[in-house]
């Protein structure tokens, strides 16, 4: 589940806002927030490609498809979902070729979707909505079903991903669905547990250049609760990757997947929730944060009628702890690194330098953000919407430095960060903990936007490497209404904003034979709740962050979550 959108509104010094002639960054608490409910309402799918209206230009070197995912249906019959993350997965595809763009979308025909559709009511529980007992069962059957563990959904509405030569959509349960990228048709349901002993995996895997994939998933067993690092081997180079969208044989879907390392949870009854993780060339960094899962509540949820959303909570009594493991050997580093209670849902990048791991994260001072995105909040207007917005906290980018040479002989009370370019500090405290104080990666412009989320980088060329730029959504509302480019060296930022429009996650696409890190374009799907404002695919020059063109889509689109760009020659 995409537990995101945070800020630093309550931190002293961040409550003032200013106006600039170009950016118009102003005090967002003095005016009513725009009514955004139309962005979170059911839409019809567009199963056949439709042409878009091009304004400006679409660079002809862009040849590929942008895939997006997110909730798109919020009721069945008279039953309505409670939370944005509950909505049925709607997959979007923008095909870009020869300066033209077409658009199509299809609902994922998951088991959850089909069962709900057949019953004309909600029969499969989602993150924020507990399904009611089947009225066709007799009293005894309904009583017995109360003592069963809740069935897990296969409503993969968070992201697209690739394992070996196949593409999938995923939520965060043990069930993922294969998808035909050419047609957006739903294919096989794949259960992680058929291949390895994990109860789900994140929707944000990491990829090595050779196609090896790493992910993380929890397991519950005799050894207690474990956070597992998962490795899925690269595809066999002798396989013909051109057939990846037509291959319906899933016998080897995740064959070879293995758990290379297991990190014990510090509390077996209240493990940490995690949405992503950090990866360098040689290491995995797992963040054990005070966003907790109440296992007992989950076990008894069928009896109490409690949705999963009510089983997560924020407990600031705990530190946030970074665990480091070698991704090749599975060896866990002998020490952990601590910082104050901090919540994080998306990492920006991580790399190694001078025997240190540099870890950049979007962080917030409070992880209790789950109820914020209940649909009753997103459908508010006027003062009620303002109050919901002003009660939120928001995420900003922080850099942590984790020296790997630390051991029991590391001296106390001195900063052991050897990286001169980073203001982050690390010191051994009297209690023996290695305490990390992060470096801020933002300027006044980002500060006045009140937070960022949905980070992305030039992934294909700079993931696990020292980098300079990232892109994200800026929040002066409950959803992103700015796109921001941040230079992590200078902390300076560039902004795109258009009144009444709400951009999604920025996806970087490098230009052919690019030499500079930001030589390429940024793609973002932009939607609006206002009648008469057409949604569009935005194309920005990644260097100057100026608009090159847009492709207007002739259908209504909801606000979405994550996705990927796939060149047509791959």
């Amino acid at each position: 589940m995409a537990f995101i959108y945070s800020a630093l509104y309550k931190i002293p010094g961040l409550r003032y806002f200013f106006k600039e002639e170009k950016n118009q960054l102003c005090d967002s608490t003095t005016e009513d927030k725009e009514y955004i409910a139309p962005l979170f309402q059911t839409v019809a799918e567009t199963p056949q490609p439709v042409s878009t209206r091009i304004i400006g230009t679409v660079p002809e070197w862009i040849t590929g498809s942008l895939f997006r995912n997110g909730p798109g249906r919020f009721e069945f019959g008279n039953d309505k979902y409670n939370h944005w993350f509950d909505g049925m997965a709607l997959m979007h595809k923008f095909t870009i070729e020869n300066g033209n763009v077409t658009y199509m979308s299809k609902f994922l025909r998951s088991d959850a979707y089909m069962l709900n559709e057949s019953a004309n009511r909600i029969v499969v529980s989602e993150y924020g909505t507990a399904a009611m007992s089947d009225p066709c069962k007799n009293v005894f059957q309904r009583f017995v079903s109360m003592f069963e563990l809740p069935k897990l959904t296969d409503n993969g509405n968070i992201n697209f991903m690739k394992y070996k030569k196949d593409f999938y959509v995923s939520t965060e349960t043990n069930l993922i669905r294969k998808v035909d990228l050419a047609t957006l048709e739903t294919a096989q349901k794949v259960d992680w547990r058929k291949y390895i002993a994990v109860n789900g995996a994140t929707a944000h895997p990491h990829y090595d250049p050779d196609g090896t994939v790493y992910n993380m998933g929890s397991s519950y067993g005799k050894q207690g609760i474990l956070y597992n690092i998962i490795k899925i081997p690269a595809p066999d180079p002798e396989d013909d990757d051109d057939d990846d969208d037509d291959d319906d044989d899933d016998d080897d879907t995740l064959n070879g997947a293995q758990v290379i390392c297991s990190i014990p949870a510090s509390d077996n009854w209240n493990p940490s929730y995690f949405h992503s993780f950090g990866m360098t060339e040689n290491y995995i960094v797992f963040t054990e944060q005070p966003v907790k899962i109440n296992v007992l509540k989950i076990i008894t949820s069928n009896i109490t009628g409690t949705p999963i959303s009510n089983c997560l909570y924020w407990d600031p009594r705990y530190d946030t702890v970074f665990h480091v493991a070698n991704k090749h050997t599975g060896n866990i580093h002998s020490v952990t690194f601590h910082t104050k209670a901090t919540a994080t849902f998306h990492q920006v990048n991580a790399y190694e330098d001078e025997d240190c791991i540099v870890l950049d994260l979007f962080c917030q001072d409070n992880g209790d953000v789950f109820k914020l995105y209940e649909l009753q909040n997103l459908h508010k207007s006027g003062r009620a919407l303002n109050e919901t917005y002003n009660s939120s906290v928001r995420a900003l980018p922080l850099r942590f430095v984790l020296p790997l040479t630390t051991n029991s002989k590391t001296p106390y009370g001195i900063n052991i960060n050897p990286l001169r370019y980073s203001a982050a500090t690390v010191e051994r405290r009297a209690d023996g903990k290695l305490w990390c104080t992060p470096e801020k990666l933002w300027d006044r412009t980002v500060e006045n936007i009140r937070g960022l989320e949905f980070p992305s980088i030039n992934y294909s060329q700079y993931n696990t490497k020292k980098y300079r730029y990232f892109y994200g959504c800026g929040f002066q509302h409950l959803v992103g209404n700015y796109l921001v480019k941040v230079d992590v060296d200078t902390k300076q930022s560039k902004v795109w904003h258009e009144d009444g429009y709400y951009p999604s996650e920025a996806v970087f696409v490098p230009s052919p034979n690019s030499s500079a890190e930001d030589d390429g374009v940024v793609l973002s799907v932009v939607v609006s709740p206002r009648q008469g404002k057409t949604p569009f695919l935005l194309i920005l020059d990644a260097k100057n962050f100026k608009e090159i063109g847009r492709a207007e889509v002739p259908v209504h689109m909801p606000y979405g979550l994550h996705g990927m760009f796939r060149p047509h020659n791959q």
Side-chain angles (χ1 to χ4, degrees), residues 334-485:
S334 59
V335 299
T336 55
F337 301 86
H338 294 245
T339 192
K340 69 175 186 176
T342 299
T344 180
F345 302 113
H346 295 100
Q347 67 96 36
V348 182
N349 197 10
Y351 61 90
E352 300 163 36
D353 192 10
E354 296 187 36
D355 292 322
C356 296
I357 291 176
V358 178
L359 177 66
D360 295 347
L361 306 170
F362 278 8
C363 297
Q364 58 200 60
D365 286 342
N366 190 319
D368 193 15
V369 299
F370 312 117
K371 290 188 179 299
L372 187 66
Y373 290 91
E374 291 178 348
L375 289 170
Q376 65 177 0
N377 289 326
L378 296 172
H379 291 171
K380 289 178 179 177
S381 61
R383 180 177 295 180
L385 183 58
N386 283 6
E387 290 175 352
T388 297
Y389 171 80
N390 290 329
S391 68
S392 68
V393 291
R394 302 202 172 270
L396 286 171
L398 296 176
R399 168 165 290 177
F400 295 87
V401 174
L402 314 179
L404 297 179
T405 56
T406 54
N407 53 47
S408 59
K409 296 182 180 179
T410 299
Y412 293 89
I414 64 171
N415 179 19
I416 56 174
N417 172 18
L419 304 180
R420 294 184 177 181
Y421 59 81
S422 176
T425 64
V426 188
E427 66 177 51
R428 181 179 291 280
R429 292 190 167 181
D431 59 6
K433 291 180 180 178
L434 284 167
W435 196 260
C436 301
T437 302
E439 172 188 6
K440 298 176 181 179
L441 296 180
W442 69 81
D443 65 358
R444 190 175 178 183
T445 299
V446 170
E447 187 173 281
N448 283 273
I449 290 176
R450 283 191 59 187
L452 300 176
E453 256 299 349
F454 293 146
S456 64
I457 61 169
N458 181 345
Y459 192 95
S460 63
Q461 298 177 15
Y462 285 87
N463 183 51
T464 77
K465 297 179 175 62
K466 190 174 182 180
Y467 75 112
R468 185 167 180 175
Y469 304 107
F470 73 80
Y471 312 89
C473 286
F475 287 76
Q476 281 195 340
H477 207 311
L478 294 179
V479 292
N481 54 346
Y482 286 80
L483 289 174
V484 183
K485 173 187 179 181

Side-chain angles (χ1 to χ4, degrees), residues 35-48:
Y35 181 66
I36 55 173
L39 302 182
F40 306 95
Q41 294 173 347
T42 296
V43 301
E45 62 183 2
T46 306
Q48 298 300 321

Side-chain angles (χ1 to χ4, degrees), residues 48-65:
Q48 298 300 321
V50 296
S51 298
T52 64
R53 176 173 175 255
I54 306 299
I55 298 176
T57 60
V58 177
E60 294 203 1
W61 61 262
I62 306 177
T63 302
S65 295

Side-chain angles (χ1 to χ4, degrees), residues 69 86-89 91 107-116 124-126 151-159 168-179 186-191:
N69 199 354
D86 299 342
M88 294 292 97
M91 304 173 290
F107 282 105
L108 180 72
R109 263 54 179 193
S110 59
D111 287 353
Y113 183 99
M114 300 305 290
L115 289 169
N116 294 336
V124 179
S125 295
E126 298 292 341
K151 293 182 180 179
L152 297 175
T153 182
D154 62 339
N155 177 33
N157 64 4
I158 296 180
N159 205 358
Y168 302 84
V169 291
S170 174
T171 178
E172 292 183 332
T173 69
N174 59 293
L175 302 173
I176 58 178
R177 295 300 301 232
K178 190 184 294 186
V179 174
T186 304
Q188 286 78 15
K189 178 176 66 176
V190 177
D191 189 337

